[in-house]
Amino acid sequence: MRTGVWLVGARGSVATTSVIGALALRAGLAEPTGCVTELPELRGPALPAVDDLVFGGHDIVGTALTKRAEELADAGVVPAHLVAALADGLGAVEEEIRPAPTGDRQHRQAEAVAADLTRFADRHRLDRVVVMNVAATEPAPPDHPAHADLTALRTALTGDDPVLPPSSLYAYAAFTAGCPYVDFTPSTGARLPALVGLAAERGLPYAGHDGKTGETLVKSVLAPMFAMRHLRVRSWSGLNLLGGGDGANLAEPAANAAKTASKQRVLGETLGYLPQGHTRIEYVEEIGDFKTAWDLINFSGFLGTRMRMEFTWHGCDSALAAPLVLDLARLTAAAHAAGRSGPLAELAFFFKDPLGGTPGSLGEQWSVLRDFVAGLHVAAGSPTDDGTGAGDGLSD
């Protein structure tokens, strides 16, 4: 199943690391560490092989992909020897990255995006293209009457004033071109009712949003522990320090607010109440593409005895996110091939604020994901890999 992966923000750290990772796996230069779809419980013939992924995308910056890869190697995000070994592959992907369309009317921008997607699919004879938003986090947009109705939206997009934020405009263009859409960011994306209607009209699946890679991943494991042991969480506060382009973008208050709201939501959903405390994000340029998160949890046990827990998470968001980008592209393509449309709630395992109302517990989400993928494999004619190596997505 030849599958296009169209990256919105194709020259960013997450996108570049994803491309390097896919090329390295294809060349046998890396192990699929972090790729959930390569676990024995999930891998199998319904998923497109990593070999079958073809990359392209849009970006507003013009830095060559090889240069971005070298910058990531200098920052310690990816091994330098891989960048040198994969130069030809990176150059080939570079040829498929286009400047993000601009213009005075959003319907023309959407038409240009859709045309790029169609030409990309035709050029590489792809079975389908998954559009993946890995661009910078946007502020929440102001309400607009056209957000609620597809007919009104189509009319409003022909006017002079912007109607959709970029992430939603890409969702609109993707659906118009017949492509599934995945939002790895906390931006608005496909959440608007008019876009839900467009996806339904075109029979397309979509997923999101805000990839769960670090501190929130830990929260989604610890919060159910407190709930299941009937321990009362009195407060839960977190401080995130990050650098790089993502950190610089989140220094902007509106984007910061959108991100922190997404990070905190898992507590209320899992505990059944929202304890005191907030999550703060601060930009520290010096730490580059790495992130440190510190959380303080105050809780009470039997007879009201007060206790506390602290944890520190230090990681590289790009290296944590990139394998999940590959996973989501493969899973969404398989869902589309199986005829699924609408929000893919079964992919909640990957997101802080998942679409579709799947339970917030990571364990519950894993069970749902496993059953979902098993169903895809059965529909494709084979069960998941039994551990013998059959059905390995890297070599199919």
Side-chain angles (χ1 to χ4, degrees):
M1 187 198 307
R2 283 180 60 75
T3 300
V5 183
W6 192 264
L7 299 164
V8 182
R11 303 186 194 278
S13 297
V14 171
T16 305
T17 307
S18 300
V19 171
I20 293 169
L23 295 176
L25 291 173
R26 192 174 299 170
L29 298 176
E31 296 295 324
T33 305
C35 293
V36 178
T37 47
E38 285 304 310
L39 288 169
E41 298 94 330
L42 300 187
R43 61 188 177 194
L47 307 182
V50 172
D51 288 359
D52 289 332
L53 301 181
V54 181
F55 293 91
H58 282 127
D59 210 314
I60 60 174
V61 300
T63 306
L65 195 63
T66 50
K67 176 63 175 175
R68 288 292 294 121
E70 290 168 358
E71 291 171 352
L72 290 175
D74 290 342
V77 176
V78 298
H81 74 274
L82 286 182
V83 176
L86 301 170
D88 290 343
L90 289 168
V93 176
E94 171 68 29
E95 295 298 316
E96 297 297 337
I97 299 177
R98 302 289 182 265
T102 58
D104 55 350
R105 306 231 171 158
Q106 285 196 318
H107 81 284
R108 293 198 179 110
Q109 296 176 39
E111 288 168 356
V113 172
D116 280 343
L117 293 170
T118 300
R119 286 191 290 264
F120 177 60
D122 291 344
R123 193 161 52 247
H124 294 282
R125 300 180 180 179
L126 302 173
D127 295 299
R128 57 192 39 82
V129 177
V130 177
V131 177
M132 181 83 61
N133 181 24
V134 288
T137 298
E138 301 166 352
D143 290 335
H144 191 288
H147 291 171
D149 179 77
L150 180 56
T151 300
L153 177 62
R154 285 174 168 143
T155 300
L157 288 174
T158 64
D160 294 329
D161 297 328
V163 178
L164 294 175
S167 63
S168 299
L169 189 63
Y170 267 100
Y172 178 88
F175 295 154
T176 300
C179 300
Y181 176 84
V182 179
D183 203 331
F184 202 76
T185 81
S187 301
T188 303
R191 286 188 296 168
L192 301 176
L195 298 179
V196 171
L198 179 57
E201 178 181 282
R202 301 303 303 272
L204 293 166
Y206 54 93
H209 60 96
D210 200 3
K212 186 162 55 185
T213 58
E215 179 204 27
T216 309
L217 178 64
V218 179
K219 281 182 176 179
S220 68
V221 175
L222 287 179
M225 176 194 75
F226 288 106
M228 288 185 287
R229 292 297 297 268
H230 203 190
L231 299 170
R232 180 76 181 180
V233 177
R234 306 177 67 88
S235 68
W236 194 316
S237 300
L239 172 63
N240 290 247
L241 306 176
L242 66 159
D246 193 31
N249 175 66
L250 292 174
E252 197 278 317
N256 191 300
K259 183 74 171 181
T260 54
S262 175
K263 290 173 71 65
Q264 200 73 354
R265 188 173 287 110
V266 67
L267 294 179
E269 292 176 350
T270 305
L271 296 172
Y273 57 92
L274 195 60
Q276 290 184 4
H278 301 280
T279 298
R280 291 168 47 208
I281 299 175
E282 294 185 10
Y283 174 48
V284 182
E285 183 179 4
E286 191 277 333
I287 62 178
D289 287 283
F290 289 79
K291 178 176 75 174
T292 295
W294 174 78
D295 277 44
L296 173 63
I297 308 158
N298 286 292
F299 64 98
S300 58
F302 193 48
L303 305 179
T305 304
R306 292 177 178 249
M307 293 167 272
R308 77 180 195 178
M309 177 181 182
E310 301 175 47
F311 71 82
T312 302
W313 172 278
H314 180 71
C316 176
D317 265 359
S318 298
L320 291 164
L324 305 186
V325 169
L326 303 181
D327 288 332
L328 287 163
R330 298 173 73 190
L331 290 164
T332 304
H336 186 216
R340 281 291 304 271
S341 64
L344 295 175
E346 296 90 345
L347 302 187
F349 178 81
F350 297 96
F351 298 107
K352 297 183 182 74
D353 185 16
L355 300 174
T358 300
S361 163
L362 192 69
E364 292 175 298
Q365 291 172 349
W366 167 252
S367 295
V368 169
L369 175 65
R370 185 185 57 208
D371 293 345
F372 170 64
V373 177
L376 293 176
H377 291 315
V378 169
S382 176
T384 53
D385 185 4
D386 60 5
T388 64
D392 188 337
L394 296 178
S395 58
D396 284 356

